[in-house]
Amino acid sequence: MRSGVVTIAGRPNVGKSSLLNALVGRKVSIVSHKPQTTRHRIQGVLHRGEDQIVFVDTPGLHRLQKRALNRAMNEAAAGALRDVDLVLFVVEAGRWTDEDQAVLERLAGNAVPVGLVVNKIDRLKNRELLLPELQRLSAMREYAFVVPVSATRQENLAPLIDEILRHLPEGPPLYPPGQVVAHDDAFTVAEIVREKLIHHLHEELPYALTVEVEHYEREGNLDRISAVIWVEREGQKKIVIGENGQTLKKVGTAARRELELIFGRKIFLKLWCKVRENWSDDPKALRRFGLIGHD
Ligand SMILES: Nc1nc2c(ncn2[C@@H]2O[C@H](COP(=O)(O)OP(=O)(O)OP(=O)(O)O)[C@@H](O)[C@H]2O)c(=O)[nH]1
Ligand SMILES: [Mg+2]
């Protein structure tokens, strides 16, 4: 019987959250095409027979630290590199950047074994280039293993899981059978709403917003939820709401539909948009929104 904690780390947008979801077979962590989507450590549990892997998805490690939010995200990610059984360093096939290099350097001082996961292999036009790339990447440091995968096409995940289990200690499971998610329903709601906002809004706006669940009541098979979308300026509020409330309505509908599927209950979701100036650079606001001090 094996069990352990495995951190999924890497620069923004390489597909860490997609990989977590593919590995545990359920959407545990939100995904978007924009970098810096994940802001917290998010656990997802894979049960395989008696073995258990607790994955920890992390915010993408990035270099620009203009705001307190960015520093908090980097700290959340860096803190998950220690005191775990294994780190998965996720990179993108065919694309090595300065930020990947910075993650590699950060991992050099870390005592935990590292497995390299080369994601998005489905994007490679010429698969013959994969082998030389794997060789090049393997030479950069000592890896516990190197496994190419496609998270979105669920390619080569079984060999990755085998490799991970081989590096976990013998031990009793950390979570009861069947439990996949560690966070509560309010967190799921806030994240799904934020994901829909990212999908519906353009450019920089997703970086300026956060979602806070204010009320959560369960009445039989119905969840009554109200949540605030916090933005930094009046102009942003106008965009989030949209003409005649169109944008907010679309976001609310998309979030409600997905939440009903996830929870298997009816959802009544009320969304508000409010301004809190400069919240992303204000430690007090970040604490209130659970973006720092959540350990
Ligand atoms: N083609 C392809 N796209 C992928 C794959 N895995 C992830 N993506 C896409 O890459 C983008 C980023 O995915 P995420 O899972 O949000 O990436 P992340 O590393 O968690 O990003 P941050 O949370 O911002 O650090 C999304 O558009 C995904 O659909 C893959 O295997 N193949
Ligand atoms: Mg992510």
Side-chain angles (χ1 to χ4, degrees):
M1 199 194 286
R2 287 175 187 276
S3 84
V5 180
V6 177
T7 293
I8 305 176
R11 73 163 155 85
N13 212 41
V14 290
K16 299 176 295 301
S17 303
S18 304
L19 181 66
L20 170 71
N21 296 342
L23 286 166
V24 302
R26 213 177 117 177
K27 181 151 150 195
V28 173
S29 191
I30 62 168
V31 165
S32 92
H33 66 285
K34 293 197 178 100
Q36 296 177 30
T37 296
T38 305
R39 287 176 174 171
H40 305 79
R41 293 182 207 165
I42 295 176
Q43 294 196 355
V45 187
L46 173 68
H47 303 261
R48 216 182 63 168
E50 297 215 292
D51 299 329
Q52 189 176 84
I53 310 172
V54 179
F55 289 105
V56 184
D57 183 21
T58 59
L61 283 159
H62 54 287
R63 295 205 297 185
L64 249 188
Q65 301 214 18
K66 271 198 295 205
R67 302 164 303 164
L69 173 62
N70 294 93
R71 290 192 292 278
M73 286 162 65
N74 275 334
E75 277 163 25
L81 301 176
R82 298 182 289 269
D83 303 324
V84 294
D85 296 293
L86 181 73
V87 171
L88 297 181
F89 175 22
V90 184
V91 300
E92 247 182 83
R95 192 147 175 256
W96 180 267
T97 72
D98 289 353
E99 276 184 325
D100 293 304
Q101 185 66 35
V103 178
L104 180 76
E105 282 160 24
R106 187 184 274 273
L107 289 171
N110 202 38
V112 177
V114 179
L116 182 71
V117 179
V118 182
N119 188 30
K120 309 197 186 182
I121 55 168
D122 59 287
R123 281 233 189 116
L124 288 176
K125 290 201 182 76
N126 182 357
R127 285 253 175 148
E128 280 169 22
L129 296 178
L130 184 58
L131 195 57
E133 183 180 2
L134 294 179
Q135 282 165 344
R136 209 169 43 247
L137 291 169
S138 313
M140 289 178 166
R141 67 161 277 161
E142 190 104 346
Y143 287 110
F145 52 80
V146 178
V147 180
V149 300
S150 166
T152 46
R153 298 225 182 135
Q154 314 211 345
E155 250 185 87
N156 218 31
L157 298 180
L160 174 60
I161 293 168
D162 289 341
E163 284 287 5
I164 294 168
L165 282 171
R166 223 170 280 148
H167 289 86
L168 295 190
E170 296 274 338
L174 299 162
Y175 283 95
Q179 182 171 353
V180 176
V181 178
H183 48 257
D184 62 14
D185 290 347
F187 181 82
T188 302
V189 171
E191 286 290 90
I192 294 292
V193 171
R194 195 163 63 82
E195 183 188 68
K196 302 311 169 203
L197 285 161
I198 300 172
H199 290 177
H200 282 86
L201 299 168
H202 303 291
E203 293 160 21
E204 296 298 307
L205 193 45
Y207 299 107
L209 59 83
T210 192
V211 179
E212 183 184 37
V213 170
E214 279 200 318
H215 296 287
Y216 201 122
E217 261 173 65
R218 191 158 294 166
E219 290 171 13
N221 195 38
L222 172 78
D223 287 5
R224 276 184 196 282
I225 307 160
S226 74
V228 178
I229 299 158
W230 290 100
V231 293
E232 303 202 295
R233 291 194 298 275
E234 279 301 326
Q236 294 168 338
K237 180 173 162 178
K238 280 206 186 81
I239 300 170
V240 167
I241 292 171
E243 217 168 299
N244 302 320
Q246 283 295 324
T247 308
L248 198 56
K249 199 169 163 201
K250 273 191 212 149
V251 166
T253 304
R256 177 177 55 75
R257 287 208 179 114
E258 182 158 348
L259 289 167
E260 286 182 341
L261 286 176
I262 293 174
F263 295 151
R265 294 190 292 270
K266 278 218 76 68
I267 303 284
F268 179 84
L269 178 63
K270 178 89 194 136
L271 296 178
W272 311 85
C273 187
K274 294 188 191 171
V275 178
R276 176 153 175 163
E277 263 177 50
N278 216 20
W279 67 264
S280 71
D281 207 22
D282 171 3
K284 219 169 115 191
L286 293 177
R287 219 162 282 126
R288 165 172 168 173
F289 299 143
L291 288 157
I292 47 176
H294 48 83
D295 284 319

